[in-house]
Amino acid sequence: MARRCLSIILAAGEGTRMKSARSKVLHEVAGLAMVRHVVAAAAAAGSDTIAVVSGKDGEAVVEAVRRDRDDTGHYVQEERLGTAHAVLAARAAIEAGADDVLVLFADTPLIRPETLARARASLIAGNAICVIGFRPQNPSGYGRLIERDGELLAIREDKDASEAEKAIDFCNAGVMALAGDTALAVLGEIGNANAKGEYYLTDAIEIARRAGLKVRAIEAEAFEVAGVNNRAELAAVEATWQERRRRRAMIEEGVTLIAPETVTFSHDTRLSRDVVVEPNVVFGPGVAVGEGAVIHAFSHIAGATIAPGVSVGPFARLREGTELLEGSKVGNFCEVKNASLGEGAKVSHLSYIGDAEIGAATNVGAGTITCNYDGSRKHRTVIGAGAFIGSDTSLVAPVTIGDGAYVGTGSVITDDVPAGALAIARERQVTKEDRGRQIIERNRAAKAGAADTAKSAKAAKPARAARAPGETKSARTEKAEKPEQSREPRQGARRGPPSRS
């Protein structure tokens, strides 16, 4: 009979250092809330039951989790009295019975299912508690895992550690697995006789050992247990996730990334072998790319299914509901939303295709748009196979273009076009003999006349007075604005030097 596993996910922290209006654990890594990453890891490690212990935004946190696990239990920690107190908020879930109990933190989104599976394996081997540890570059500030002969004796907080204990680089990550049959007994013995008056989960180690139970620690990679407390740490975790995903794409999936560091993946991006991704491409949620497809530079793709051999971009935008069948093409500066392109269909330049269906081998000319929104509702455009849509065409939905139909360039199509028909919807051209030459000559003459006028005005402008040695421009201007004074001094005034004006 398979072992039952309960995962208790602690999500009650205030997250004040995030400086956010929403719960810290709802902030996203690779487009998925951190708490959902943890739930996914727990599920992959075999968890039958998920229990979330929440605080701020509790309902929003549980709602997010239930998108993946609709049977998730919700427990509220009314007071913040430590990690053991938070775990016991889910007492009812523990009492319901489980062989293994995993205690996880909702702000450590990179924890791997393989590590959780190893922790469970430790319980299967007869240990009552398995603590997950790691070796940080700088262990200062972390609780040290004190071991002897392979058994974990205690977790010593940094401030309480001796110099010898501080030399230990194996540190507590906080994640723990407990045997279901002894978990409540151990947790119930934890007291709060400490400076903060809180119930610390780490005290479970010594309590279990006093009861004669076995306790061991296993080691995780440091990146797995990196917690997020602020935006900088969130960015660092995102960078780690992206780097690992790119390596997996190139090494395990056979994907070519021209400039890996410039490509951004979503948590659920699916790529087939021989896909080529050029620089500066962003994959949003819900994207699947078929074998041999090429995603050209500066494209942004979300909610799209791309078949083998498709070409996208550069500078393409594929939005939710896009389906590109084999050999089709969406070219530069095109946007596609809630639309399908049949095999070999092409939308190559500067077009918007929304709420549409385009048949196989149809060519959509540059600047074509489907006018799908009437101000309150969306309408659909259907184009058959083998049709040709001339450049700068507006298709006013709802409208249907039949197989093999031809729409003339610059048309505004408001009515259905039958299969094989030619549709032209624009003002008839008017040609006036010799008028073009007259306009060109008139424009040239006007331009020449304007130049002559400017030249004459410049020539008629009075010459600027020469600046005397040492005289500033402002002084010269001021002098020019004053009337010239008489050389005869006023009665009683002292004769000065001759005027220079």
Side-chain angles (χ1 to χ4, degrees), residues 403-434:
D403 293 347
Y406 193 111
V407 175
T409 295
S411 294
V412 178
I413 301 298
T414 58
D415 297 322
D416 292 349
V417 179
L422 167 65
I424 303 172
R426 58 174 182 253
E427 188 69 26
R428 183 174 294 278
Q429 180 174 319
V430 176
T431 302
K432 297 186 177 182
E433 296 293 338
D434 201 45

Side-chain angles (χ1 to χ4, degrees), residues 452-462:
D452 290 343
T453 301
K455 187 176 181 180
S456 299
K458 186 176 181 180
K461 194 172 183 179

Side-chain angles (χ1 to χ4, degrees), residues 360-389:
T362 283
N363 186 86
V364 177
T368 294
I369 61 172
T370 56
C371 307
N372 56 329
Y373 185 52
D374 65 5
S376 60
R377 295 175 301 163
K378 297 289 183 70
H379 301 279
R380 197 157 183 82
T381 297
V382 178
I383 304 174
F388 182 91
I389 311 300

Side-chain angles (χ1 to χ4, degrees), residues 307-333:
V310 169
S311 175
V312 176
F315 295 96
R317 176 80 163 95
L318 304 185
R319 295 169 57 193
E320 289 72 13
T322 295
E323 182 180 11
L324 308 182
L325 299 189
E326 191 164 354
S328 60
K329 175 185 178 182
V330 174
N332 48 293
F333 300 102

Side-chain angles (χ1 to χ4, degrees), residues 54-55 76-80 85 89:
S54 74
V76 179
Q77 184 186 19
E78 298 292 350
E79 296 180 89
R80 309 293 184 268
H85 181 264

Side-chain angles (χ1 to χ4, degrees), residues 148 285 299 449 471-472:
R148 185 176 63 205
S299 294
E471 183 182 33
T472 65

Side-chain angles (χ1 to χ4, degrees), residues 240-303:
T240 300
W241 191 98
Q242 292 293 341
E243 181 182 3
R244 290 178 56 78
R245 180 65 184 90
R246 293 168 191 141
R247 286 184 59 81
R248 178 160 70 89
M250 293 184 288
I251 294 172
E252 300 179 20
E253 298 172 350
V255 173
T256 295
L257 304 180
I258 304 299
E261 69 281 2
T262 69
V263 177
T264 301
F265 289 108
S266 179
H267 66 97
D268 59 353
T269 305
R270 291 183 290 130
L271 304 175
S272 301
R273 66 179 182 178
D274 292 326
V275 167
V276 175
V277 182
E278 292 183 355
N280 297 294
V281 171
V282 175
F283 293 98
V287 177
V289 184
E291 186 172 329
V294 178
I295 312 299
H296 293 285
F298 294 97
S299 294
H300 190 292
I301 304 171

